[in-house]
Each structure stands twice: as structure tokens, then as C-alpha cells.
Amino acid sequence: MTIENISQAKVADGWHKQFTHESDTLNCSMRFAIFLPPNASKSSPVPVLYWLSGLTCTDENFMQKAGAFKKAAELGIAIVAPDTSPRGDDVADDDGYDLGKGAGFYLNATQQPWASHYHMYDYVTKELPKLIEATFPVNNVKSISGHSMGGHGAITIGLKNPGLYQSISAFSPISHPVSCPWGQKAFNAYLGMNREDWKQYDATELLNKAQSPLPILVDQGEADSFLAEQLKPELLVAAAEKHQSPLELRMQPGYDHSYFFISTFIDEHLTFHATHLLK
């Protein structure tokens, strides 16, 4: 697979680079970013943390705002941030910010016009890791994290693929999308009207059925304006307790939904993942 390096910058003695490539899974050109720590080499490949961003974001939001590079360099962990949806003139879109481009929800759409391109679940779990591991000095040991819509994606993908990841974390995840406006709008469009089909992409529903084999760390700001209507972390915790899943929710007083919140606690998330990626 051919990829094109479109930008790069040295940071924390490592490298942040952006690439584009033609995605067979999404049927369009995609962009992703990677941070390679200074110790990454062909003779000493490093593990990877995959970061999934939220609504309206691209690969750039986390890489430019989270302040994660210094700690990732110290720990020896690469970070990969894909875009949040397929892009292109022929890709279906919606007038709202919470559906279509920038709002892929990390699922495989089954309904048209979305099904032609919106297969972010397969892209994140299959195509992108295959490309990363074939191209860069990384190994196949990986964990997954994300924010808001991306927190939903990180938890559901980790729960559905425990053999692929070592650990899961999330900031302000959409914890029970089948019961919130963001999730209901997206799932109805992408998956159709059968709500049973929605549950396969709902972290609370997945935890209600079985214990998580992976450790999960969740940070949630108490001043988040989306907390009560859209995020509902208390439902995620209740589901985790049902089967005694290893989930820790930390409610953070005064913090909102922004990257100011993420940048405050990202080092702790990286350290959490390092204990599992580097063991």
C-alpha cells in the first residue's frame, strides 16, 4: 500500500508525521498522524496507542492540543491518530455536525448512502494497524484510547477485540449511545431502525453482557455540559459492576469537555497504558 508523507516535525526528540493513503476499506483517501518516540527503530520496535477523536475532529486535534509527546517519548510509546470519518467529494454527508463527515462513530454502516464509505470499525481494527505495522518501527502490541465519540469507539472496539489490545481508556466517552441524542441519530442513520443492531456498538450494552477482559480507565469532567444528556458514565459503571469488570471512573471536579481537560490527565493515561503495553 502506497502512503504519502505530507508533513513532519521533530518533537520531544521524536517525530510527528502526517500521511495520506488510499483506503480500500473506506473507498476514499484517508489521513492519519503518528508520533514515533526517539527509541523507535527497526531493531527495537515500540508498542502503539491508538487515539480516536470526537465529533468534528481530525487527526490534528489530539496531536496539536493534548500535549502527549513528552510523556510518550519518555515511555517509548508510539501514538497513532486516524481521522474521525471518511472524506471526499463523493462521501455522504449531513448538514448536522453529529452525522456524516467528522462523525463516523467507529462502526460499520449498513444503510445507504453511508454503507459505501462509513466502515470506520474495520478501518481502525484491521486496515490501519496492518498499514502501521508494515511501514513503521512498531510491533503488534497496542492499546486504544479516545475522547467523546472516540471514547465510545475506544471502549467498544477494545471490548469487542480483547485479543488485539492490552488496555482501554477514554475521556468523556459517549457511554450509552442507544439512549442519547448523538447516538440515536447516528445509529438510526448508519445502522437502521432495529435497536438490537445498535447494541453491538454500545459500551454499556456490551458490559451488561460480559466481563471486560481488559482494564479500562475513564476520566470525566464534572463541569462537562454534555454529561447528563449525552455521556451518562454512571450507566457504564453500573454495567461494569454487574460482572465486576476492571473499570475505573474518575470524576474530575471543574473540568469540561475540552482539550484543556484532556491535556491535564493525558500523562496519567499514557502511564496507565504503559503498564500494560510494556509488561
Side-chain angles (χ1 to χ4, degrees):
M1 184 182 296
T2 301
I3 67 173
E4 180 183 358
N5 182 199
I6 59 172
S7 75
Q8 63 180 33
K10 190 170 184 179
V11 56
D13 287 328
W15 287 93
H16 168 270
K17 300 184 179 185
Q18 281 183 310
F19 292 86
T20 59
H21 73 103
E22 292 299 319
S23 169
D24 292 334
T25 301
L26 303 177
N27 298 308
C28 66
S29 177
M30 287 295 288
R31 190 177 75 191
F32 67 87
I34 185 169
F35 170 72
L36 291 168
N39 65 316
S41 67
K42 289 184 179 179
S43 61
S44 182
V46 298
V48 181
L49 177 66
Y50 283 83
W51 173 269
L52 307 182
S53 289
L55 290 167
T56 75
C57 292
T58 68
D59 63 286
E60 293 183 336
N61 295 75
F62 177 83
M63 292 302 205
Q64 294 182 6
K65 297 180 179 180
F69 300 141
K70 187 175 181 180
K71 178 57 72 171
E74 174 189 318
L75 295 169
I77 296 172
I79 302 173
V80 171
D83 201 347
T84 53
S85 78
R87 307 277 180 173
D89 293 341
D90 62 339
V91 174
D93 200 9
D94 184 82
D95 291 338
Y97 73 93
D98 51 358
L99 183 67
K101 295 177 186 178
F105 269 85
Y106 305 102
L107 50 73
N108 289 337
T110 58
Q111 305 299 303
Q112 293 296 352
W114 315 103
S116 299
H117 297 280
Y118 285 77
H119 294 155
M120 288 298 294
Y121 178 88
D122 280 351
Y123 179 71
V124 169
T125 60
K126 298 175 183 178
E127 185 178 27
L128 183 59
K130 183 178 179 180
L131 173 61
I132 297 297
E133 290 163 21
T135 307
F136 302 100
V138 303
N139 55 40
N140 63 358
V141 181
K142 47 190 174 288
S143 291
I144 192 163
S145 185
H147 171 233
S148 194
M149 178 186 71
H152 137 77
I155 299 174
T156 56
I157 285 172
L159 290 175
K160 290 162 69 71
N161 299 276
L164 295 182
Y165 305 97
Q166 303 299 311
S167 51
I168 304 166
S169 79
F171 291 84
S172 317
I174 304 173
S175 297
H176 196 24
V178 303
S179 69
C180 78
W182 280 341
Q184 290 168 353
K185 178 178 179 179
F187 286 6
N188 184 68
Y190 295 142
L191 302 174
M193 297 179 64
N194 185 352
R195 294 195 171 215
E196 288 302 308
D197 293 337
W198 299 6
K199 293 180 180 180
Q200 64 180 309
Y201 297 111
D202 186 296
T204 295
E205 294 294 337
L206 292 171
L207 284 174
N208 270 324
K209 293 180 180 179
Q211 182 185 58
S212 170
L214 299 179
I216 307 171
L217 173 63
V218 177
D219 270 313
Q220 173 63 60
E222 290 185 358
D224 192 323
S225 61
F226 302 113
L227 178 58
E229 182 181 29
Q230 302 282 12
L231 306 179
K232 304 183 179 184
E234 70 280 359
L235 301 180
L236 186 69
V237 171
E241 290 175 346
K242 183 175 181 180
H243 298 290
Q244 299 178 325
S245 292
L247 183 150
E248 179 184 5
L249 171 65
R250 308 190 306 186
M251 298 298 297
Q252 304 291 2
Y255 286 94
D256 60 15
H257 200 71
S258 72
Y259 269 85
F260 295 111
F261 169 47
I262 294 170
S263 67
T264 302
F265 298 101
I266 190 61
D267 284 5
E268 295 175 30
H269 280 241
L270 290 168
T271 300
F272 162 76
H273 287 297
T275 63
H276 303 284
L277 288 168
L278 303 173
K279 63 183 178 181

